[in-house]
Amino acid sequence: MTAPAPAELPVVVIGAGPTGLAAAAHLIEFGITPLVLEAGRSAGAAVRQWAHVRLFSRWGEVIDPAAEKLLAPTGWTRPDEAVYPSGGDWAEQYLTPLADALGERVRFGATVTGVSRAGRDRIVDADRQAQPFTVHYTTTDGREERALARAVIDASGTWSAPAPAGGNGLPALGEKAAADRVAYRVPDLNDPAVRARYARRRTAVIGSGASAFTALAYLADLATSEDGAGTKAVWILRRGISGATFGGGAADQLPARGALGLAAKAAVDAGHADAVTGFRTERIERDGDGRLVLVGEDGRRLEAVDEVIVLTGFRPELSFLSEVRLHLDERLQAPLALAPLIDPNQHSCGTVYPHGHRELSHPEAGIYLVGMKSYGRAPTFLAMTGYEQVRSIAAALAGDTRAADRVELTLPETGVCGGAGLFDTREADEAPAAGCCTTPEPQPLQLTAPTSATTEDTPAGGCCGA
């Protein structure tokens, strides 16, 4: 049986999260039929797993314009754009109504297992580009299905693949054996069972980004509560302390993102957390009481902790794309043309240049990695970046090159800079306030500088929706 011509087929979008649903809305705006395949049972399934975390972006920064147009006829009420939503708010008040508006164009419980060209494996060149894509997926009842597509937009994110504690990118020796005391998510301390797990205990937090800031702030808040007296955090940083360690502060054009770093600093300054720098975990051992001892690559052994929270980033799941030809950066596993814009080894003060279909293209024409997945292993992704990506891609698929190449977004600056020089170089005695780069030396550290930051009403880290 001859496959339908690609132009007659839908564009398959993998993932019904913020970027995937926005992609569907933009495709519809350009007259293209989308088919969204979502492994979860509801829109924003990954977002719902951090429903307790407040974004550091306001409503006005996490609603896609094309999606809003699609929602308007349904009677949907736009939330106050000045309010900071939680992950739960984002899912319930925006993503669920948007998926409802898309109707049968979204299939839930559909886990994509492979993407290829119809009748062509990765090797075959002959007539390759003329063949539609074939997307294989399994349903919740175990059935194996396929969908043919003119193009594929992979917005599946990276939430399902957190990075390990090991400083070399591999799980630390003993990390798997200690799984009962190791978590890879910001804890929901409103859940009584989770709260009891960390209250009055000593917890190591490994990581240096927004999620680590959030966890430190949450644990500090727990330490000041009636049921959490004695709660203590140990903040494990693989690098040293510099002016950029705590984010951009007042220089960040997203104020709540800047406040996150200040909240983490306040936790350390108040004595609720101790920072250990230049520590790259090699091994996790148990002591005689069953507590965990972190051992560094340099042989240092830290005081035993009760729990470990690993917040060292995420990785893209690429196994189901093994039969298509991708051009990925060898370090970040991000599209090759995008990688220089987001590489933390090179990235300097300022913002990431808005980008679209050209930076996200591959040798296999018609397939795109978007949203958090487009950043590979790089951090600091913003929802508005994903919305601009899919707007450009939808325009390109519609043949409107002028619209696809037009930049319709100005991203907020972080107020910080980073680069390879921060990894193993000497720590400055004093870090500049707004965070351009200094040179730290790995060593244990107790910060004492005063701060006026408060965590009471400070929006927390935004994960994929930051």
Side-chain angles (χ1 to χ4, degrees):
M1 181 177 178
T2 303
E8 302 170 3
L9 297 170
V11 171
V12 165
V13 179
I14 305 174
T19 306
L21 293 178
H26 282 281
L27 290 168
I28 290 170
E29 194 167 62
F30 279 97
I32 300 172
T33 301
L35 172 60
V36 182
L37 300 178
E38 166 58 46
R41 296 179 177 273
S42 60
V47 174
R48 293 173 191 275
Q49 293 185 46
W50 48 271
H52 58 289
V53 177
R54 194 166 299 282
L55 279 70
F56 52 65
S57 295
R58 299 177 176 90
W59 270 117
E61 296 156 338
V62 296
I63 295 174
D64 176 77
E68 186 171 7
K69 292 179 185 177
L70 193 65
L71 284 165
T74 70
W76 176 75
T77 301
R78 179 186 175 95
D80 184 344
E81 65 177 26
V83 170
Y84 294 93
S86 67
D89 296 335
W90 202 17
E92 288 298 328
Q93 298 179 42
Y94 170 63
L95 299 178
T96 293
L98 180 54
D100 290 344
L102 289 165
E104 294 183 356
R105 302 180 187 95
V106 182
R107 294 181 189 173
F108 294 110
T111 301
V112 174
T113 57
V115 178
S116 187
R117 290 282 186 179
R120 306 289 189 275
D121 64 17
R122 185 188 183 102
I123 299 174
V124 179
D125 289 334
D127 202 28
R128 185 177 188 85
Q129 300 299 333
Q131 304 304 313
F133 288 96
T134 179
V135 181
H136 289 215
Y137 63 96
T138 58
T139 63
T140 51
D141 60 5
R143 289 181 295 109
E144 296 181 354
E145 303 283 354
R146 74 161 187 172
L148 296 178
R150 60 179 288 189
V152 176
I153 299 175
D154 182 0
S156 59
T158 58
W159 178 256
S160 63
N168 57 8
L170 301 174
L173 300 178
E175 183 172 344
K176 294 179 181 178
D180 61 320
R181 296 199 175 194
V182 180
Y184 299 87
R185 306 287 189 255
V186 175
D188 181 2
L189 299 182
N190 292 318
D191 182 321
V194 175
R195 191 176 184 88
R197 177 174 177 174
Y198 296 100
R200 305 179 186 274
R201 296 177 183 270
R202 182 177 173 86
T203 299
V205 177
I206 305 175
S208 59
S211 293
F213 293 164
T214 304
L216 290 168
Y218 282 9
L219 291 171
D221 185 64
L222 178 59
T224 61
S225 67
E226 184 176 344
D227 63 335
T231 301
K232 185 77 173 183
V234 181
W235 186 19
I236 311 298
L237 296 108
R238 292 172 178 170
R239 303 187 181 190
I241 295 288
S242 76
T245 297
F246 297 101
D252 195 319
Q253 291 184 0
L254 289 177
R257 182 171 59 186
L260 259 183
L262 296 178
K265 188 175 187 299
V268 179
D269 291 344
H272 300 307
D274 294 326
V276 178
T277 65
F279 189 93
R280 293 188 279 282
T281 307
E282 180 178 80
R283 184 185 301 272
I284 299 178
E285 301 177 349
R286 289 187 188 264
D287 67 9
D289 296 324
R291 303 176 78 207
L292 303 182
V293 177
L294 275 59
V295 182
E297 293 177 354
D298 57 3
R300 277 185 292 170
R301 301 174 64 86
L302 302 185
E303 182 182 343
V305 297
D306 300 289
E307 301 285 342
V308 176
I309 301 174
V310 182
L311 300 169
T312 53
F314 296 88
R315 297 174 174 180
E317 169 54 56
L318 300 169
S319 62
F320 64 84
L321 301 174
S322 61
E323 293 303 320
V324 291
R325 300 171 179 179
L326 302 180
H327 208 177
L328 300 177
D329 179 76
E330 67 273 13
R331 295 177 299 276
L332 301 183
Q333 297 177 295
L336 195 63
L338 174 61
L341 303 179
I342 59 176
D343 189 345
N345 291 295
Q346 305 174 14
H347 205 41
S348 61
C349 292
T351 187
V352 177
Y353 182 78
H355 53 276
H357 72 110
R358 296 192 185 277
E359 292 84 357
L360 298 168
S361 63
H362 296 277
E364 191 82 72
I367 188 163
Y368 302 93
L369 277 59
V370 301
M372 191 72 188
K373 191 164 187 176
S374 71
Y375 270 40
R377 298 188 181 204
T380 65
F381 181 80
L382 295 173
M384 63 184 81
T385 299
Y387 298 160
E388 174 68 1
Q389 290 176 340
V390 296
R391 181 206 62 79
S392 173
I393 290 168
L397 291 174
D400 191 341
T401 305
R402 179 174 296 182
D405 289 339
R406 187 169 59 242
V407 175
E408 296 186 1
L409 173 67
T410 300
L411 290 169
E413 295 187 5
T414 63
V416 299
C417 64
L422 289 178
F423 197 70
D424 272 328
T425 45
R426 182 168 299 278
E427 182 175 0
D429 292 333
E430 295 182 3
C436 268
C437 305
T438 61
T439 53
E441 179 182 25
Q443 61 180 9
L445 180 76
Q446 177 70 46
L447 299 182
T448 57
T451 178
S452 58
T454 175
T455 62
E456 182 177 350
D457 296 311
T458 300
C463 299
C464 68

